[in-house]
Amino acid sequence: MASHDSRAPARPFLSFRTATPWRVRFACLALLIAAACNTTSVDSSSTTIAPSISKRTDTTTDIHRENNSLPSLIRLQAHHTEAGNFDRDGQLEFVSTVSPPEYNRLVWGPEQNHEDAYAAWKSAGWKDAIFFTDSQGRSLSKRIVHSEGFCLHASTLVPANFNNDGIDDVAVLCHGFDAKPFPGEHSFVLLSQSDGSFLSKRLTSRTGFFHGGSVMDVNGDSHLDILALNSFDGSTVAYFGDGAGGFPKSRKLISTGVWQHAISSFDFDNDGDGDLIIGGNEYGGGDTSQDLPTRIYLNNGSGRFSKGNSVTIPGVRGYETVLDFVVSGETLFVLRTNRQYRGGAIQKVDMNTMQQTGLYTRSDAPHPNRLRPVQPRNGQPTFSDLSTSRRHFDFSVGAKNQVLFLN
């Protein structure tokens, strides 16, 4: 990735912004992927190996864009899968979380019984399992020391090097038991250790419904901070990293509404610091798609955010539930589904005007989950879900900046 030491011109829609007196630098670590690997993928037409990946180690932001290409389209039977360098071997691996089968059966299965599920959770103390795989989907032996326990139903994984040892750690945002009474859960961070193991440390001081999370340097001290979005109260809290894997201080950055659950960070106004984009159920329990709109909250240069310094993303009637965000060039793509989580849409937004310039819908498919940049197809930026059953919204960006569905 190119260095951001030289500030790009401000985008027209944000021309009122004052440039900050300090700049945040991006560092890149090239993770070479051996060309000899023959990665297995259920999508036989997909290119599965990329020669390299740029991994930001002291990055400001974490939004997924095309020049952070992942090497493969491995489909893993997991709630969530992310890629990172977990072995100090210069190659890319995957980390995944899986909730207990009985929990999945009783909460979402055809014979679901939330009362029985809740009672079983209270009795058995269900927790997610964590596993690592290599670029070919083979299991890696990684000892995980749960010194402070772990959570049920991790909702977001964010790999990043929090302790500056050259190996990615993992921020694990958890919302817990996903049915009434919604008791909430703690979130955790998996820290790499010198012996190759990972230590699970509790991140949060109180439970919450932590559905979304992100990573950026909020306070400009060159250490990565973890952002946790709590859907219980709509607050986004920053846990400030100390560069050694500790997060001794925290501060609420902004409250945006109890229905919000999707968050990413990106320098939208090209001023050298990270901004936030936060969305979720835009109807907010009401009748219109703009009751609780998705917004970009601009950093004031000191890690402060407010509604008064924000830009609204246009709503989409019929697809009011926002799931994720990706960027390609000057275009923001917003992943959406309807209120019943059926079907989905990819909304195209011009980041120079913040106006919608396209909408691509599929009403007959399972809703999208999270898309990640993979090796370009035919030279075109390509985004794909890394999990098993959500292939319907994988897409490339065409020559005219249009969405080209791959499946």
Side-chain angles (χ1 to χ4, degrees), residues 58-213:
D58 64 348
T59 175
T60 309
T61 59
D62 84 327
I63 202 167
H64 301 283
R65 58 188 308 167
E66 75 277 7
N67 58 357
N68 273 351
S69 299
L70 301 181
S72 64
L73 299 181
I74 291 176
R75 312 292 169 172
L76 296 170
Q77 294 283 354
H79 270 145
H80 298 294
T81 298
E82 293 291 351
N85 177 18
F86 304 116
D87 252 351
R88 210 199 303 267
D89 59 0
Q91 297 197 17
L92 206 61
E93 295 85 32
F94 295 87
V95 60
S96 303
T97 57
V98 178
S99 296
E102 189 70 359
Y103 166 74
N104 293 330
R105 183 182 70 82
L106 290 175
V107 173
W108 293 291
E111 300 177 1
Q112 62 182 251
N113 186 317
H114 293 171
E115 290 185 2
D116 285 355
Y118 185 69
W121 169 72
K122 294 282 287 184
S123 174
W126 286 331
K127 302 293 181 186
D128 279 12
I130 310 162
F131 61 94
F132 293 85
T133 54
D134 66 13
S135 60
Q136 299 185 54
R138 297 174 302 198
S139 178
L140 296 175
S141 178
K142 292 286 184 184
R143 186 168 64 95
I144 301 173
V145 180
H146 293 289
S147 63
E148 298 179 2
F150 198 58
C151 64
L152 173 70
H153 204 145
S155 55
T156 300
L157 308 178
V158 188
N161 186 7
F162 297 118
N163 57 7
N164 290 309
D165 65 351
I167 300 176
D168 279 338
D169 312 294
V170 187
V172 184
L173 289 306
C174 308
H175 58 58
F177 189 85
D178 198 12
K180 291 182 178 180
F182 298 102
E185 181 63 281
H186 280 287
S187 290
F188 290 79
V189 59
L190 303 178
L191 296 171
S192 57
Q193 303 296 298
S194 59
D195 63 357
S197 66
F198 282 81
L199 181 66
S200 172
K201 299 283 290 184
R202 182 181 295 174
L203 176 69
T204 50
S205 59
R206 62 185 180 91
T207 59
F209 202 80
F210 299 106
H211 204 292

Side-chain angles (χ1 to χ4, degrees), residues 268-405:
F268 285 99
D269 54 1
N270 283 328
D271 66 353
D273 50 37
D275 309 307
L276 304 178
I277 182 167
I278 300 175
N281 295 332
E282 290 181 333
Y283 52 88
D287 295 326
T288 73
S289 64
Q290 288 295 283
D291 282 344
L292 195 60
T294 298
R295 285 191 174 97
I296 293 170
Y297 297 89
L298 300 170
N299 194 328
N300 73 347
S302 300
R304 304 285 175 174
F305 304 86
S306 67
K307 183 178 178 180
N309 193 22
S310 68
V311 179
T312 299
I313 302 300
V316 178
R317 183 170 291 278
Y319 295 97
E320 299 95 344
T321 302
V322 171
L323 302 172
D324 200 8
F325 315 95
V326 295
V327 166
S328 176
E330 294 292 301
T331 302
L332 169 69
F333 295 96
V334 182
L335 276 65
R336 296 174 171 273
T337 186
N338 65 19
R339 301 188 191 194
Q340 292 75 39
Y341 283 77
R342 299 192 184 100
I346 297 178
Q347 178 189 21
K348 188 173 73 170
V349 177
D350 185 336
M351 292 201 299
N352 290 299
T353 64
M354 281 301 151
Q355 297 301 306
Q356 177 177 309
T357 58
L359 184 69
Y360 305 82
T361 64
R362 301 190 76 167
S363 60
D364 58 344
H367 71 80
N369 188 20
R370 291 178 174 90
L371 298 186
R372 297 296 178 256
V374 297
Q375 185 180 25
R377 176 175 292 195
N378 299 323
Q380 298 171 330
T382 302
F383 298 90
S384 173
D385 195 308
L386 299 182
S387 298
T388 310
S389 59
R390 304 290 181 180
R391 307 176 56 195
H392 305 81
F393 288 87
D394 293 3
F395 74 96
S396 290
V397 181
K400 297 181 180 180
N401 210 32
Q402 75 274 32
V403 167
L404 303 174
F405 286 122

Side-chain angles (χ1 to χ4, degrees), residues 24-37:
V24 180
R25 293 189 300 273
F26 288 81
C28 297
L29 171 65
L31 304 182
L32 300 179
I33 307 301
C37 291

